[in-house]
Amino acid sequence: MRRATRAGGAPQRYSAASLFRHGLTHEDWERVWRTVEMRRSYDAVVIGAGVHGLATAYYLASNHGMGNVAVVDKGYVGGGGSGRNTAIIRSNYLTPEGVRFYDRSTRLYENLSATLNFNVMFARRGHLTLAHTDASVRTMRWRAEVNKLEGVESEVIGPDEVKELVPFMDTSTKTRYPILGALYHPPGGIIRHDAVNWGYARAADSLGVEIHQGTEVTGISTDRGRVTGVTTSRGAISAPVVVNCTAGWASLVATMAGVRLPIITHPLQAAVTEPVKMFLHAVVVSGSLHVYVSQTDRGELVFGASTDPYASYSMRGSLEFTEELATHVLELMPSISKMRVLRQWAGLCDITPDFSPIMGVTPVDGFLVDVGWGTYGFKAGPAAGEAMAELVATGKTPESIAAFDLARFEEARLVGERGAAAVGH
Ligand code: PYC
């Protein structure tokens, strides 16, 4: 990917003709982030060039003046969960800790285009979680009350209001699971996930952060209970702080430092249709039917369903998934039966026992974790990066992430967030 100006540099003017030529030939455009020689030592190494790792590096440099940071990734920028999600942003969680945290993230996302000077295409659409059973109406009421107490807009609405927001939805009582109501969360929306990754990468790079793609961490070195660096497929790096911002391989990476994480990894599949004229303005989720759907600004419908029922590191889609997904989607919106699915993919979800992330310090000094996001990772990226950067720079755990520490699993302080899941687990 190339861009017309270096971030932080003076804007370069292009004529319409030169822009057209650049568009066709891609000649003369500067790289969005640099490719530099990897050095042997940094103030911090961040493992994982997804939204969490890149945001951590960006906020380290922008909020704390720490630019001597390397982000290493065995793949490429945004090639893991950050490019394999359904790009839904929301903060309508169940626990006060969760609501506050995701609200911070939603607010950072709302202004991210301006912050990064890069259009990340945030679209506030309103988010509907449908309730098809009395039990889920109860959970929606609970979530609405916790949300309101935390100053987050959410309310329970009835089927008629659902129909007004999504006229194509079958809200009749003749369906297998009639819609009894919904949790309506106006601030929810969608974003362009690749743009988020590229925007953070470009901005971090312009502040001195180095991004080393194709650089696999093969070991984490420690000395007398302190982290001293990492070994990679391209040589060793010494650093007093190493931050594990990986998804899918989080527990394997932590094991390299001798830290065990209570995580189990499941694939989560998603699919996208051909583009059609905009007709679905809200993001719609149905936990009972195991489906969530939104329409991108390009007109495609993006769908997802439950996590695959087995633990695996596989990122392959399956026909079974597409068939089940289609069955469930058509129960909600029978009129889209002619739309064609263009492609599907899978990402990896690291699921913890309480469905909340693990963030902060570990028993190894200087080895920090921002992991275990399950199906919530992408929407948390900015707030997680901001908080992890503060922890690295100040050595103090920010209040916003204190509840998500690793020690809670030994001290029975779980932060149960399963009830806020969009998907079945
Ligand atoms: O939490 O909104 C969500 C979500 C949708 C897909 C995966 N997670």
Side-chain angles (χ1 to χ4, degrees):
M1 215 188 125
R2 286 161 194 269
R3 66 184 156 81
T5 63
R6 277 198 62 71
Q12 189 172 338
R13 302 253 173 252
Y14 284 109
S15 67
S18 73
L19 275 176
F20 184 65
R21 185 171 52 78
H22 285 307
L24 288 179
T25 64
H26 293 194
E27 276 171 11
D28 309 332
W29 282 37
E30 280 183 59
R31 290 211 158 257
V32 173
W33 53 86
R34 299 157 300 153
T35 301
V36 291
E37 276 299 304
M38 197 168 80
R39 284 180 283 127
R40 292 294 148 225
S41 138
Y42 296 90
D43 292 340
V45 169
V46 177
I47 311 173
V51 60
H52 285 252
L54 293 167
T56 299
Y58 167 73
Y59 292 114
L60 266 173
S62 67
N63 292 0
H64 305 281
M66 258 181 87
N68 183 23
V69 172
V71 180
V72 296
D73 195 297
K74 69 175 178 174
Y76 56 93
V77 164
S82 297
R84 295 171 169 275
N85 55 79
T86 43
I88 295 171
I89 310 296
R90 65 185 176 96
S91 54
N92 56 356
Y93 279 74
L94 182 65
T95 65
E97 297 88 345
V99 175
R100 285 195 288 270
F101 185 83
Y102 292 95
D103 180 43
R104 175 68 189 153
S105 218
T106 303
R107 288 173 195 275
L108 288 169
Y109 265 134
E110 278 170 358
N111 292 319
L112 202 59
S113 293
T115 307
L116 302 179
N117 187 24
F118 196 90
N119 187 3
V120 294
M121 297 172 70
F122 176 77
R124 182 180 157 123
R125 294 286 188 81
H127 183 283
L128 280 171
T129 312
L130 304 177
H132 306 263
T133 62
D134 288 344
S136 53
V137 172
R138 242 189 339 262
T139 308
M140 297 314 149
R141 288 216 177 99
W142 185 281
R143 282 169 66 182
E145 292 313 312
V146 177
N147 287 192
K148 281 185 239 171
L149 280 170
E150 295 299 334
V152 166
E153 268 182 280
S154 283
E155 58 174 326
V156 175
I157 60 174
D160 293 347
E161 289 158 292
V162 172
K163 187 82 182 167
E164 264 174 45
L165 288 163
V166 189
F168 290 81
M169 187 110 72
D170 187 350
T171 52
S172 71
T173 50
K174 299 198 186 72
T175 56
R176 188 164 63 111
Y177 292 116
I179 295 168
L180 304 182
L183 179 68
Y184 179 46
H185 173 53
I190 53 170
I191 203 160
R192 175 91 170 86
H193 56 194
D194 294 325
V196 171
N197 296 317
W198 298 335
Y200 270 124
R202 179 179 92 141
D205 170 87
S206 75
L207 295 171
V209 169
E210 293 180 9
I211 299 167
H212 296 289
Q213 305 179 92
T215 306
E216 181 170 359
V217 170
T218 52
I220 296 176
S221 25
T222 59
D223 183 23
R224 281 164 283 176
R226 257 218 78 84
V227 85
T228 54
V230 295
T231 48
T232 78
S233 51
R234 295 172 54 214
I237 307 173
S238 68
V241 177
V242 173
V243 192
N244 179 0
C245 289
T246 60
W249 292 270
S251 45
L252 295 179
V253 169
T255 311
M256 295 177 192
V259 174
R260 283 192 67 204
L261 299 176
I263 280 179
I264 182 158
T265 302
H266 285 251
L268 179 62
Q269 298 190 46
V272 66
T273 67
E274 61 187 327
V276 294
K277 194 172 168 185
M278 176 63 82
F279 70 94
L280 178 62
H281 295 279
V283 180
V284 177
V285 175
S286 166
S288 306
L289 288 175
H290 302 300
V291 65
Y292 40 92
V293 53
S294 66
Q295 187 171 17
T296 69
D297 289 324
R298 285 181 304 212
E300 302 149 336
L301 291 185
V302 181
F303 296 111
S306 349
T307 53
D308 287 351
Y310 41 81
S312 166
Y313 291 117
S314 161
M315 286 195 274
R316 300 191 62 162
S318 65
L319 181 60
E320 205 177 39
F321 158 82
T322 323
E323 281 176 345
E324 263 189 38
L325 179 68
T327 316
H328 294 153
V329 168
L330 293 180
E331 282 190 59
L332 284 179
M333 289 188 256
S335 55
I336 64 167
S337 63
K338 296 261 166 26
M339 285 184 74
R340 285 169 293 197
V341 171
L342 283 192
R343 57 180 192 279
Q344 65 189 94
W345 64 92
L348 297 179
C349 301
D350 288 339
I351 300 169
T352 65
D354 61 1
F355 293 78
S356 283
I358 309 174
M359 300 180 79
V361 299
T362 70
V364 176
D365 276 353
F367 179 63
L368 309 176
V369 290
D370 168 16
V371 298
W373 287 96
T375 56
Y376 301 148
F378 184 75
K379 55 187 69 50
E386 183 186 53
M388 291 307 292
E390 186 179 332
L391 171 58
V392 172
T394 65
K396 295 200 187 88
T397 300
E399 184 54 38
S400 65
I401 62 167
F404 304 129
D405 62 338
L406 177 58
R408 77 180 186 273
F409 296 105
E410 286 179 357
E411 296 167 9
R413 291 184 279 106
L414 302 193
V415 188
E417 207 57 270
R418 186 177 197 172
V423 303
H425 293 91

